[in-house]
Amino acid sequence: MSGRLAGAVLVLNCGSSSLKYRLFDGADTLAHGLVERIGEPGGDAADHGAALGSVLSTLDLTGLAAVGHRVVHGGPDFSAPAVVDDAVVDAVRRLIPLAPLHNPANLAGIEVARRLLPNVPQVAVFDTAFHATMPEATATYAIDVEVARRLRVRKYGFHGTSHAYVSRCAATLLGRPPAEVNVITLHLGNGASACAVHGGRSIATTMGMTPLPGLVMGTRSGDIDPAVVFHLHRVGGMSIDEIDNLLNRDGGLRGLAGENDMRAVLRRRSEGDAAATLAFDVYCTRIKQYVGAYLALLGRLDAIAFTAGVGENAPVVRAAALAGLAGLGIAVDPDRNARAEPVISPPGSPVTVCVIPTDEEFEIAEQTRHALA
Ligand code: ADP
């Protein structure tokens, strides 16, 4: 996807208390930064409006052609980036119940940017949109169809801009058009998800209606028997909010090893710490399970791409997650893996395993240009 819209693009990623920005001219970054602890005592700004106001005052905005916003949840409404108008703002607001932690901040960013830059077109780029191509067979939960329809309960998936970008880079690495390549992308950051990409289109992903299921994450449990929730409530006396915390904020690596940072888990594991070792094993085994599942869904696999903080920086995780899969054509070369060369599988492997740094902001800028072109 090449940009046809001339001029600079400002990419905004608003969290509940943060604002990340990057100003692009084509592929070049002109400026970037982060405003933190918005609205908190001693923070950098009182609200998102003040934060963006101070960011804009430091930037040279001559030639600014567009603002691209990261929006986490596009629900069933958005299968592509959307040029922002009042209807899009209303739709993002109606999706807040599906993403109560993320969409309000994303919406605040859009509203503030529209107010401060009224003559610049704005585009909302959704984390879910790339997965809109998932067939019903992987997107549907097996529950009462009427309940699911009314409450919009289905698999949406997240990290879409990253999976889109990384799968396209993997095709480039193979020297083939994305439409001819099947890739499993493994986005392993604080949040983590896997995606089966068939000819450039997502056909399955590990996150669901929310970003909770699938892989083990920094603080999220990933997959769990949903009846555990009933048990924790009925037998353990925990409230829904307490269970929400247990699974979303105190789960994952934090739940198993007491810390959410993979670097600390790896250090303790190398010192023989039992909890850290189990956390590592659960983390890597979960990835391997999905590699096998997605190999089956794809039918033919050309590449596996590791990305994000853990995927790009932890050779030991990459090696363990794919250990023992030589019979499936999947292998990791220890030297290449240690050097994090783009290709880490041995020469001639049926499946090319690679490490590709993700760049969600660049992808948002590209999609913003594309939406306006
Ligand atoms: P986010 O999902 O917030 O964008 P990142 O993609 O930056 O996060 O990933 C952050 C995580 O990456 C950290 O929590 C840490 O566990 C992991 N990480 C970063 N560097 C390393 C490293 N050298 N080795 C292992 N894990 C790392």
Side-chain angles (χ1 to χ4, degrees):
M1 195 189 307
S2 65
R4 272 162 289 275
L5 177 81
V9 175
L10 176 64
V11 172
L12 296 180
N13 181 353
C14 286
S16 56
S17 66
S18 67
L19 185 160
K20 227 197 259 182
Y21 68 92
R22 195 155 142 204
L23 182 62
F24 286 92
D25 182 12
D28 298 331
T29 297
L30 302 177
H32 64 102
L34 172 68
V35 184
E36 287 184 290
R37 290 179 294 131
I38 295 170
E40 293 172 15
D44 298 340
D47 54 32
H48 284 90
L52 185 59
S54 69
V55 167
L56 294 181
S57 71
T58 67
L59 299 176
D60 175 5
L61 296 173
T62 348
L64 180 67
V67 180
H69 296 267
R70 179 197 184 204
V71 181
V72 167
H73 218 309
D77 305 347
F78 296 103
S79 56
V83 180
V84 173
D85 56 18
D86 292 342
V88 168
V89 168
D90 286 344
V92 172
R93 186 177 292 111
R94 282 196 306 274
L95 291 167
I96 286 176
L98 288 175
L101 300 178
H102 293 104
N103 272 33
N106 304 153
L107 188 63
I110 291 174
E111 291 188 313
V112 165
R114 287 183 95 193
R115 182 157 53 76
L116 297 180
L117 298 165
N119 299 317
V120 180
Q122 322 255 333
V123 175
V125 178
F126 301 91
D127 276 20
T128 48
F130 181 60
H131 304 297
T133 51
M134 280 192 293
E136 291 299 311
T138 54
T140 305
Y141 294 124
I143 62 169
D144 184 292
V145 290
E146 199 39 49
V147 173
R149 192 199 55 75
R150 183 162 49 84
L151 293 169
R152 298 177 289 183
V153 177
R154 60 177 268 131
K155 195 183 263 264
Y156 296 103
F158 299 87
H159 291 142
T161 51
S162 180
H163 291 299
Y165 174 79
V166 169
S167 59
R168 220 171 48 241
C169 290
T172 303
L173 198 64
L174 294 176
R176 289 156 66 187
E180 291 174 12
V181 174
N182 291 350
V183 190
I184 297 174
T185 45
L186 299 168
H187 178 109
L188 312 176
N190 269 317
S193 65
C195 183
V197 185
H198 187 278
R201 295 154 68 88
S202 168
I203 61 162
T205 190
T206 51
M207 286 177 166
M209 185 184 91
T210 76
L212 179 58
L215 305 181
V216 178
M217 313 185 206
T219 70
R220 288 180 220 139
S221 63
D223 287 341
I224 190 166
D225 174 353
V228 168
V229 174
F230 317 147
H231 177 79
L232 294 173
H233 176 66
R234 293 182 185 136
V235 179
M238 295 177 76
S239 70
I240 293 297
D241 286 342
E242 286 168 337
I243 299 170
D244 187 346
N245 268 317
L246 185 86
L247 301 184
N248 266 309
R249 282 166 283 278
D250 295 330
L253 295 177
R254 177 178 286 164
L256 289 170
E259 27 204 350
N260 63 303
D261 193 315
M262 182 56 92
R263 283 164 292 203
V265 172
L266 295 180
R267 191 177 352 93
R268 282 171 46 199
R269 173 177 174 267
S270 68
E271 295 160 1
D273 180 288
T277 302
L278 179 62
F280 175 87
D281 291 345
V282 176
Y283 186 99
C284 295
T285 302
R286 188 75 53 83
I287 297 170
K288 184 184 294 185
Q289 279 176 242
Y290 275 108
V291 168
Y294 287 177
L295 175 60
L297 284 181
L298 290 167
R300 186 203 79 228
L301 180 62
D302 300 298
I304 296 175
F306 285 93
T307 195
V310 177
E312 292 166 28
N313 298 301
V316 58
V317 170
R318 298 194 293 258
L322 301 184
L325 300 183
L328 300 175
I330 299 167
V332 170
D333 177 271
D335 294 331
R336 290 179 162 194
N337 188 29
R339 290 195 296 269
E341 290 182 357
V343 174
I344 62 169
S345 46
S349 285
V351 177
T352 301
V353 183
C354 51
V355 179
I356 295 176
T358 193
D359 194 341
E360 290 167 279
E361 280 100 12
F362 174 74
E363 180 68 17
I364 291 171
E366 285 288 279
Q367 295 199 14
T368 297
R369 287 191 196 96
H370 194 75
L372 292 168

